[in-house]
Amino acid sequence: MKNIGKLIALLFLVTICGTTALSQSATVTGTVSDEGFRPLVGANVFLQSEPNKGTSTKRDGSFSISVKPNTEQTVVITYLGYDTLYKTFNLNPGETKNIDIQLTFGSRSFKQVIVEDERTRTSTMSRIDPKSIDQLPMPNASIEKTLLFQGMGVSSSNELSSQYSVRGGSFDENLIYVNDVEVYRPFLVRSGQQEGLSFINPKLVRSVEFSSGGFEAQYGDKMSSVLDVHYKKPKKKLAGSAEGSLLGGNIHLENASDNYRFTQLHGFRYRTNQYVLNSLDTEGSYKPSFTDYQGYFTYDLTDDLELGLLLNYAKNEYNFIPQDRETDFGTINEALRLKVFFDGQEINEYETGVGALTATWQPTNKLRLKFITSAYRTLQQENFDVEGAYRLDELNRDLGSDNFGEVAFSRGTGGYINHARNYLLGNVFAAAHKGTYYGDKYTVRWGLRGKHERIEDEFNEWRYVDSSGYSLPNAAPFTSREDINLYEVIRARNNINSSRLMGYGQLSRALTVDSNEFSFNVGGRFHYWDFNDELVGGPRALFTWKPNWEKDILFKAASGFYYQPPFYREMRDLNGDINYDIEAQRAIHYLVGMDYVFEMWDRPFKFATEAYYKQLDNLIPYEIDNVRLRYYAENNAKGYATGIDFKINGEFVKGVQSWASLSIMSTKEDIKNDFYYEYYDDEGNRTYQGNQFRPITDSVRKEPGYIPRPTDQRVNFSLFFQDYFPGDPTIKMNLNLVFGTGLPFGPPSYDRYQDTLRIPPYRRVDVGFSKQLLRDEKSERKGLGLKGPFKHLHSVWLSAEVFNMLAINNTISYLWVRDISNRQYGIPNYLTGRQLNVRLIVNF
């Protein structure tokens, strides 16, 4: 704690220096309105010589921007649908010029171009189009799923889950912010069908930015990626949308007051996966129910001070009564069938609430200060008692037999019981300050955040396995038959209270040398955690160069230290115990990349590529069980991740965007004190322990060295393609294709070096066909709109979707059983099969 005072003093010294380093300049102020003198909110105002330096108009249409004195400066005012206006000034130092601008409704057609945000292009962040989610034909369409196509290095092998892996990182290594508030994923979820709704409501989203690595110091303390989402502020008195499908529905409403000082945004969602879960191998009564409400409110106390309130309440319920399961697997030479009869049920509940209050103060157009307080609370319960009795049969593989494919004989029988009573209560309280100072050619950002976490966890699980007539683990000789040996027992009760202090500072600068454009961003972070009295931090840097070439190419290089202090999951080991000596994991990123904006077929395209190497230290090993991560809770590994990513997007079909991405990667780790023995008989032949016919005379200790991490997906390819009926853009086709090579897995033990097998590749094709039933022509022909009862509707779309069109059985995990000869089999747990869905979207 003794270092906190020095850190706070240093941070506020940077703040004071940043706010007092105001250079003398001139100022242009004014208002922007339309032809009817109505204020235009959010119009862009920037300098022609410095397009990345600008502002936007406020609720009353007002703006203020600094210009360089004693030089001719051109101010550009743009607004979607209106003609661009240029105003040139030559002002004296300290002079203020006030102008009133009226923009004219644009009647000209413009050549289509890619609108490129210079700020994101000169960083590792990339903009994600949130509107594409309306066309995404997937069972669990979400903002996170769009990252598979629009991001780089992103993979996911479970269509029912919103979790994703980035460049070999685990699900827990991804930062997600909504309006600068950190979002947490459920603690107790163990399968995709239990997960429910993603926190982010796509209908409320204004902007989405994503980085796969090398991100700036202003983004927090995770090792892989950051997703930065901001909700919109309504600009209409009333607007919204309604959507319904076989999987549920959602409604969103937005409103702005007459003077635009108060805005409100509401989103209601309901989802049930019951329809798609009926295509799983396990038949039974699925009753999933996921609901949430989100609200975002803003109020301008003054023209310079805005208050914001973000609210979220979510309740997820997953009830399941399994009946039976039949799975065929194996090869043509050994075709097998597993038949399981179930008794019992599973009841899971997850209830979450989030509240965040923000105050944003912009005393000058150069200085922006934001203060954030937030509270997160979750109550999660996991209860199940499921008994399964199974029969393992070998199938007739004689192609000429009338009984081909039928059961030939039994290989063994067995059973198991899974029991859990898990309860978790989590509370996180945070307060933060973020500041930005916009200089003439540089930007300074700083921030400070304090966070307190309180976790109460009661963990009670056991498993009993009776495989082919004997209990696992095997009972000792002469043990009473009345004794029951449980395969695994976990009982723990934990109470964790801890506090953290985090801060950052960074400087970005752009300059031009001989028509070559350069920019750099340097900064650093610190993170103090009183749980183990650990202080970590380090520098981060980014450099970009846009050469003065005829082709529009930009090069970038980034590096930095990314520490990830453990959250509760990483602290709890396989037995449910807390490691009080746990430390932060560390990743050092090295990244080089380029992007190229070009035209093909007289249409705009963008190609981007990044090569990277991540040095991983102090790692906490884990195993993946469906979407649940089970940590070893020890910093006993080191590793690396290296690869290259490619992405291209553009108008492969004129007027609509499509994306394709390819990732090639390898990630491995070396676990300390991870070893095994090889045994030899007296003739030097390898044998195994306990072989009475070939007694052991020698043994050799082996070190596995580097082994694949659980997320080692070597190749991943994603495609999202849009097309429309020739001559009729109201009829569209949307297709997404995902291919990923298999992930490592192994037998049910906690010896990671045995996980050398590979799950079959993940292959999935989903397709959707949509028809626009109604459309508002106002945006196309001024003064013409829908009549009668539909006059308030903007558009109506009806879609038919085919999930898993090729009906591929993708494997997510394995159930392990033994036959009568003690041979062990991994039975694949398949994901969803082919299903049809109908969706109706109404915008007003």
Side-chain angles (χ1 to χ4, degrees):
M1 295 292 291
K2 61 184 179 181
N3 295 319
I4 291 183
K6 295 180 181 179
L7 292 170
I8 293 176
L10 179 61
L11 186 67
F12 279 98
L13 181 61
V14 172
T15 302
I16 294 172
C17 292
T19 55
T20 56
L22 303 176
S23 58
Q24 192 175 19
S25 61
T27 305
V28 175
T29 64
T31 59
V32 179
S33 59
D34 62 12
E35 295 167 287
F37 296 97
R38 293 179 291 269
L40 294 177
V41 184
N44 297 308
V45 183
F46 58 90
L47 299 180
Q48 189 177 35
S49 59
E50 300 178 75
N52 61 333
K53 175 187 175 183
T55 185
S56 57
T57 55
K58 298 181 180 179
R59 303 296 180 194
D60 57 356
S62 64
F63 71 90
S64 177
I65 187 171
S66 294
V67 299
K68 191 179 297 183
N70 297 327
T71 58
E72 198 169 79
Q73 296 279 288
T74 299
V75 176
V76 184
I77 301 98
T78 66
Y79 194 80
L80 186 63
Y82 291 80
D83 290 339
T84 300
L85 194 67
Y86 300 85
K87 290 286 186 177
T88 302
F89 305 93
N90 192 334
L91 305 180
N92 297 320
E95 183 180 355
T96 298
K97 179 70 173 180
N98 187 71
I99 56 174
D100 291 319
I101 302 296
Q102 274 185 279
L103 296 184
T104 304
F105 188 86
S107 57
R108 297 172 293 152
S109 61
F110 295 88
K111 185 178 180 180
Q112 291 184 332
V113 296
I114 289 181
V115 180
E116 186 66 42
D117 188 325
E118 291 296 328
R119 186 186 70 81
T120 56
R121 194 179 181 194
T122 56
S123 75
T124 59
M125 303 293 287
S126 60
R127 285 202 178 274
I128 305 298
D129 180 11
K131 295 181 180 179
S132 64
I133 193 174
D134 285 340
Q135 287 80 42
L136 192 63
M138 295 187 78
N140 189 28
S142 61
I143 291 294
E144 291 88 343
K145 286 299 183 185
T146 64
L147 301 179
L148 294 174
F149 314 100
Q150 299 188 47
M152 287 202 292
V154 182
S155 63
S156 175
S157 298
N158 190 339
E159 63 271 8
L160 294 176
S161 171
S162 61
Q163 303 308 318
Y164 55 94
S165 173
V166 180
R167 293 177 176 171
S170 73
F171 309 145
D172 290 335
E173 293 178 22
N174 304 313
L175 269 171
I176 300 179
Y177 292 108
V178 173
N179 288 6
D180 298 318
V181 177
E182 187 174 353
V183 174
Y184 302 93
R185 63 185 291 257
F187 291 85
L188 298 184
V189 164
R190 65 178 67 211
S191 66
Q193 56 257 39
Q194 302 170 358
E195 192 173 311
L197 295 161
S198 160
F199 180 92
I200 305 167
N201 188 333
K203 296 296 183 181
L204 311 186
V205 169
R206 170 177 59 88
S207 67
V208 181
E209 295 182 7
F210 176 74
S211 173
S212 300
F215 43 90
E216 303 165 6
Q218 65 175 311
Y219 299 111
D221 303 298
K222 291 290 181 79
M223 296 196 297
S224 287
S225 73
V226 59
L227 178 64
D228 190 14
V229 178
H230 286 272
Y231 284 175
K232 56 189 174 183
K233 295 189 230 178
K235 297 180 181 179
K236 296 182 179 180
K237 291 186 178 180
L238 180 63
S241 67
E243 178 180 337
S245 75
L246 298 178
L247 304 179
N250 63 72
I251 297 174
H252 108 272
L253 298 170
E254 53 187 84
N255 164 260
S257 62
D258 291 338
N259 59 4
Y260 296 98
R261 286 195 175 275
F262 175 73
T263 70
Q264 53 183 320
L265 193 60
H266 304 272
F268 307 85
R269 292 185 293 175
Y270 169 77
R271 182 177 181 83
T272 174
N273 288 331
Q274 183 175 1
Y275 176 63
V276 295
L277 295 182
N278 287 329
S279 66
L280 297 176
D281 279 352
T282 301
E283 295 184 0
S285 175
Y286 292 92
K287 294 183 179 179
S289 175
F290 313 120
T291 58
D292 83 337
Y293 162 76
Q294 290 191 34
Y296 180 51
F297 309 86
T298 67
Y299 182 72
D300 291 349
L301 291 176
T302 68
D303 289 343
D304 303 321
L305 180 61
E306 177 188 88
L307 297 181
L309 177 64
L310 175 67
L311 298 175
N312 169 262
Y313 173 77
K315 186 170 185 179
N316 298 335
E317 296 179 346
Y318 178 77
N319 299 333
F320 175 43
I321 303 176
Q323 295 173 354
D324 59 72
R325 164 184 173 172
E326 184 175 285
T327 304
D328 294 339
F329 66 102
T331 65
I332 189 63
N333 294 321
E334 189 180 34
L336 302 173
R337 172 176 293 166
L338 177 74
K339 184 72 175 181
V340 187
F341 301 93
F342 294 102
D343 190 17
Q345 65 177 332
E346 179 178 346
I347 301 175
N348 302 325
E349 294 183 0
Y350 312 98
E351 193 171 12
T352 301
V354 176
L357 180 64
T358 64
T360 305
W361 181 37
Q362 191 161 353
T364 71
N365 67 313
K366 287 193 170 186
L367 182 63
R368 187 173 184 268
L369 305 174
K370 187 171 185 178
F371 303 89
I372 309 162
T373 58
S374 64
Y376 165 84
R377 179 180 175 85
T378 182
L379 177 61
Q380 303 179 21
Q381 303 178 48
E382 188 178 41
N383 305 284
F384 56 79
D385 287 285
V386 176
E387 179 181 358
Y390 71 83
R391 185 178 70 237
L392 183 62
D393 299 318
E394 184 166 332
L395 304 181
N396 187 325
R397 58 180 185 271
D398 183 0
L399 294 176
S401 173
D402 293 336
N403 297 321
F404 175 75
E406 300 297 326
V407 174
F409 60 89
S410 174
R411 295 287 295 265
T413 60
Y416 60 87
I417 302 175
N418 292 335
H419 166 91
R421 294 292 185 274
N422 299 326
Y423 305 95
L424 185 142
L425 175 64
N427 294 276
V428 180
F429 307 96
H433 161 64
K434 300 179 67 175
T436 307
Y437 173 69
Y438 302 96
D440 290 336
K441 288 186 176 292
Y442 64 91
T443 301
V444 178
R445 301 179 189 272
W446 63 92
L448 184 68
R449 181 161 71 124
K451 185 167 68 170
H452 180 73
E453 303 157 359
R454 186 169 70 246
I455 305 292
E456 299 175 21
D457 179 26
E458 186 176 336
F459 197 30
N460 186 349
E461 286 187 16
W462 56 261
R463 286 195 293 160
Y464 171 75
V465 178
D466 183 15
S467 185
S468 296
Y470 59 88
S471 173
L472 295 178
N474 294 331
F478 312 112
T479 301
S480 170
R481 299 282 297 179
E482 296 179 358
D483 293 342
I484 297 177
N485 296 286
L486 297 179
Y487 184 77
E488 184 178 49
V489 179
I490 304 174
R491 285 189 180 137
R493 182 171 292 180
N494 300 312
N495 254 311
I496 302 296
N497 280 275
S498 66
S499 298
R500 306 173 191 259
L501 182 66
M502 297 150 277
Y504 69 89
Q506 67 180 51
L507 168 69
S508 58
R509 175 75 186 269
L511 63 155
T512 303
V513 179
D514 296 331
S515 299
N516 291 274
E517 298 178 15
F518 299 92
S519 73
F520 65 86
N521 183 300
V522 294
R525 287 190 66 87
F526 75 86
H527 186 125
Y528 174 77
W529 190 27
D530 68 356
F531 182 81
N532 58 1
D533 204 29
E534 182 183 39
L535 176 64
V536 295
R540 302 179 187 179
L542 167 70
F543 175 79
T544 69
W545 168 43
K546 186 177 180 182
N548 181 24
W549 295 349
E550 183 177 347
K551 295 182 177 180
D552 188 0
I553 298 178
L554 183 140
F555 299 95
K556 65 182 65 175
S559 183
F561 286 72
Y562 297 81
Y563 284 89
Q564 182 169 320
F567 200 46
Y568 181 67
R569 270 186 296 268
E570 296 99 314
M571 300 161 60
R572 190 180 69 181
D573 66 15
L574 299 171
N575 297 315
D577 299 324
I578 300 298
N579 180 1
Y580 288 88
D581 297 320
I582 199 78
E583 296 178 351
Q585 303 178 87
R586 185 184 73 173
I588 305 177
H589 291 198
Y590 303 94
L591 180 148
V592 292
M594 59 85 69
D595 66 59
Y596 173 36
V597 177
F598 62 98
E599 283 194 359
M600 184 167 59
W601 309 314
D602 291 326
R603 298 196 290 272
F605 287 85
K606 180 180 177 180
F607 171 77
T609 181
E610 290 181 0
Y612 60 90
Y613 178 84
K614 293 196 292 187
Q615 178 183 326
L616 308 175
D617 300 297
N618 230 26
L619 288 180
I620 304 173
Y622 61 90
E623 298 200 4
I624 296 182
D625 177 13
N626 204 299
V627 299
R628 180 176 67 156
L629 302 184
R630 300 195 65 183
Y631 286 92
Y632 288 32
E634 290 186 42
N635 300 99
N636 62 342
K638 62 180 180 179
Y640 67 86
T642 185
I644 187 168
D645 301 324
F646 307 91
K647 183 182 73 171
I648 186 170
N649 66 282
E651 296 183 11
F652 291 93
V653 175
K654 189 174 183 179
V656 289
Q657 286 279 322
S658 298
W659 291 267
S661 64
L662 172 66
S663 299
I664 302 172
M665 180 206 65
S666 175
T667 180
K668 294 184 177 182
E669 64 185 356
D670 183 6
I671 301 176
K672 300 175 185 176
N673 300 319
D674 189 23
F675 63 89
Y676 62 94
Y677 285 96
E678 287 186 353
Y679 299 98
Y680 299 87
D681 61 16
D682 54 0
E683 296 180 0
N685 299 314
R686 286 185 60 182
T687 182
Y688 60 90
Q689 193 172 18
N691 189 332
Q692 57 180 330
F693 301 106
R694 298 174 62 183
I696 296 171
T697 59
D698 192 16
S699 63
V700 178
R701 173 170 163 159
K702 293 287 186 177
E703 301 283 347
Y706 280 91
I707 59 176
R709 301 192 78 199
T711 50
D712 183 41
Q713 192 168 48
R714 300 295 178 82
V715 178
N716 192 82
F717 175 77
S718 301
L719 170 69
F720 177 60
F721 181 77
Q722 298 188 80
D723 197 357
Y724 55 84
F725 193 83
D728 188 356
T730 66
I731 303 176
K732 288 187 177 182
M733 185 277 292
N734 306 293
L735 178 143
N736 58 264
L737 181 151
V738 178
F739 171 83
T741 53
L743 295 168
F745 79 102
S749 70
Y750 299 126
D751 297 320
R752 281 275 295 107
Y753 65 84
Q754 295 186 6
D755 297 346
T756 57
L757 303 174
R758 291 276 175 172
I759 292 176
Y762 181 83
R763 298 154 294 163
R764 187 175 178 92
V765 177
D766 303 293
V767 64
F769 301 91
S770 57
K771 166 65 178 177
Q772 188 172 15
L773 304 178
L774 293 173
R775 59 177 175 171
D776 184 357
E777 303 284 354
K778 289 180 181 179
S779 59
E780 300 177 14
R781 288 182 288 174
K782 187 178 178 183
L784 179 62
L786 296 169
K787 305 297 183 182
F790 304 111
K791 63 181 180 181
H792 298 295
L793 299 183
H794 176 65
S795 65
V796 178
W797 286 89
L798 179 64
S799 301
E801 301 170 329
V802 184
F803 300 146
N804 195 5
M805 184 176 67
L806 303 182
I808 297 172
N809 286 329
N810 288 305
T811 302
I812 184 61
S813 61
Y814 287 86
L815 171 69
W816 293 87
V817 300
R818 294 175 185 266
D819 63 13
I820 196 66
S821 62
N822 200 30
R823 184 177 178 183
Q824 190 169 230
Y825 296 89
I827 316 300
N829 294 315
Y830 294 124
L831 288 163
T832 57
R834 182 192 293 128
Q835 292 285 89
L836 301 178
N837 185 42
V838 179
R839 185 162 53 144
L840 179 68
I841 303 176
V842 179
N843 298 298
F844 55 88

